[in-house]
Amino acid sequence: MRLAKLNESLSNHKLATAIKSKDGKKLINEGAVLSDKVIERLINSGLNTVYIEDENIDIELQGTLDSDKMAAIFIKLQEVYEAASKDEFNNYKFNNFIRNELLPEIKNEPISITVGQVMDKDDIIQHSINVALLSVKTAITLGINRDKIEYLAIASLMHDIGKILKQKNEKLKKELYEEIGFEFLKRKQTSALVYMTVKFQSEFFDGNGLFKMEGKKQNELIKILSICDYYENLLRTTELMPHECFEKVQSLVNTRFDPEIFDAFRKSLYIYPMGLPVRLNNGVEGVVYIQNKSYPLRPIIKTKNMYYNLLENLSLFIEQVTL
């Protein structure tokens, strides 16, 4: 199978994977033939890429959370946000959820956010889960201790709670969502690291962020949340592919983002999805076949006649994505 841009050219192609909604409901079965009408419906639902069947039958998809686990965490977080909107947030239970259900899913390899699934631009829950995955892995790469990683996971999942509370309370409409989230989490007796990270999530490394706090005054959790939030927003709300979102982040190092944090971030995610069609700088075209865990920017590429391990062939690199 290979990843393909969703447009009319895919009419009569077969889906290589099922299309599911964010809560795990199957929308279209694996093997279904795409028609013009189905393609239009998928595009309108927020989907811009799909996996289609081709000669690469041995490629296996790779995602940090499979669709069923993502759906379970999505539903749980939906319940947490609903309770918070009624001022019923239970910090102790939420910490247990983080410790027992989310963190064990993050393995010792870079994060892979599944493409080819419906991405809702306005979905705070989906966004927050992805940000939490990226933030936790970046923190692990930096060598941050377990307690701080748990605090970062909480802050990541709750960093947009102020937006939800604003929607529920007319009196909060003119308030900054960062301030609303800060006050809410402080009142709910979360750690100071959690509510301070939520408050200062929009700060820039050069001091030109919302509260004009320079990088040297920011703790590492703030810096991690900032970069992961920005990347995921690009991935979810634009038609950019992961490698293009990564390049946008890279262009803001030393101004918006701390270079040390960026270095850990780039080691913590796969930016070339499995099955992605690419062209190497030697002119050969192929697809991403296997990820290199130790260096996610240099995967193994499968071509018609051979395999290229970019970690071993350092003179080769991905010159263009041919999606």
Side-chain angles (χ1 to χ4, degrees):
M1 64 180 158
R2 66 177 172 87
L3 191 63
K5 198 77 172 176
L6 186 58
N7 54 41
E8 63 276 1
S9 68
L10 295 186
S11 187
N12 296 319
H13 282 78
K14 286 186 178 181
L15 281 175
T17 60
I19 304 296
K20 294 184 178 182
S21 63
K22 56 198 175 186
D23 57 359
K25 295 177 182 177
K26 190 175 290 187
L27 302 176
I28 303 179
N29 290 323
E30 174 184 343
V33 177
L34 290 169
S35 65
D36 290 342
K37 186 176 181 180
V38 169
I39 290 171
E40 182 180 4
R41 179 160 60 89
L42 290 175
I43 291 174
N44 290 336
S45 73
L47 196 62
N48 54 31
T49 57
V50 292
Y51 281 97
I52 59 172
E53 293 183 359
D54 73 351
E55 66 276 8
N56 299 298
I57 59 174
D58 54 347
I59 289 179
E60 296 183 3
L61 290 191
Q62 187 171 5
T64 300
L65 296 180
D66 64 31
S67 58
D68 292 336
K69 190 63 181 180
M70 175 65 87
I73 292 176
F74 181 96
I75 292 169
K76 178 65 177 180
L77 200 54
Q78 190 174 41
E79 295 171 354
V80 170
Y81 288 170
E82 181 63 27
S85 70
K86 298 175 182 177
D87 205 34
E88 298 173 355
F89 177 74
N90 186 308
N91 183 48
Y92 176 76
K93 288 183 178 180
F94 192 61
N95 288 0
N96 283 337
F97 162 68
I98 296 287
R99 190 175 297 118
N100 300 323
E101 297 184 45
L102 179 70
L103 293 183
E105 295 298 321
I106 303 176
K107 311 304 181 186
N108 187 29
E109 64 177 291
I111 296 298
S112 178
I113 296 177
T114 305
V115 296
Q117 297 292 332
V118 175
M119 300 285 274
D120 186 339
K121 294 182 179 181
D122 299 317
D123 191 347
I124 292 175
I125 301 177
Q126 183 185 47
H127 166 65
S128 298
I129 295 172
N130 289 342
V131 170
L133 295 175
L134 292 167
S135 295
V136 168
K137 182 55 186 176
T138 301
I140 292 171
T141 303
L142 276 170
I144 292 176
N145 69 52
R146 185 73 177 185
D147 287 343
K148 284 188 176 181
I149 287 174
E150 288 189 8
Y151 292 144
L152 178 59
I154 297 168
S156 299
L157 289 176
M158 299 298 288
H159 76 282
D160 278 345
I161 190 62
K163 294 180 179 179
I164 294 173
L165 298 177
K166 284 183 73 168
Q167 294 170 0
K168 298 288 185 177
N169 190 339
E170 186 69 30
K171 295 179 180 179
L172 300 175
K173 293 294 184 182
K174 295 183 180 180
E175 302 295 326
L176 295 171
Y177 76 86
E178 295 93 343
E179 288 277 18
I180 295 170
F182 164 77
E183 294 294 345
F184 174 81
L185 293 169
K186 185 177 181 180
R187 183 162 52 82
K188 293 300 180 181
Q189 299 181 332
T190 63
S191 165
L193 270 177
V194 173
Y195 58 72
M196 294 300 286
T197 298
V198 168
K199 178 173 181 176
F200 295 114
Q201 62 181 280
S202 300
E203 294 311 283
F204 289 13
F205 182 64
D206 64 4
N208 287 315
L210 182 62
F211 294 100
K212 308 301 179 185
M213 178 190 283
E214 295 181 358
K216 61 184 179 181
K217 296 182 180 180
Q218 300 171 25
N219 66 52
E220 53 204 351
L221 304 192
I222 294 171
K223 296 176 182 179
I224 293 171
L225 178 57
S226 174
I227 196 169
C228 296
D229 180 48
Y230 183 84
Y231 172 84
E232 204 286 336
N233 265 314
L234 285 175
L235 187 64
R236 186 174 42 84
T237 64
T238 71
E239 293 188 0
L240 298 176
M241 291 298 293
H243 71 284
E244 295 172 312
C245 297
F246 177 83
E247 290 166 0
K248 292 281 188 182
V249 171
Q250 188 173 30
S251 70
L252 296 172
V253 173
N254 290 316
T255 54
R256 185 162 185 163
F257 305 122
D258 184 321
E260 182 181 356
I261 301 299
F262 172 76
D263 187 56
F265 173 75
R266 72 174 178 83
K267 297 174 182 176
S268 301
L269 78 159
Y270 293 125
I271 65 170
Y272 297 114
M274 299 294 288
L276 182 71
V278 297
R279 180 184 300 118
L280 301 179
N281 59 314
N282 63 357
V284 173
E285 294 191 0
V287 296
V288 176
Y289 179 65
I290 297 175
Q291 303 284 3
N292 273 314
K293 296 180 182 180
S294 59
Y295 206 97
L297 302 186
R298 299 188 68 81
I300 296 174
I301 306 301
K302 178 184 178 182
T303 70
K304 187 175 181 179
N305 299 313
M306 64 181 299
Y307 299 88
Y308 292 92
N309 187 339
L310 301 189
L311 195 57
E312 297 176 353
N313 295 275
L314 298 181
S315 63
L316 293 177
F317 57 86
I318 294 174
E319 183 177 65
Q320 183 179 356
V321 170
T322 57
L323 193 66

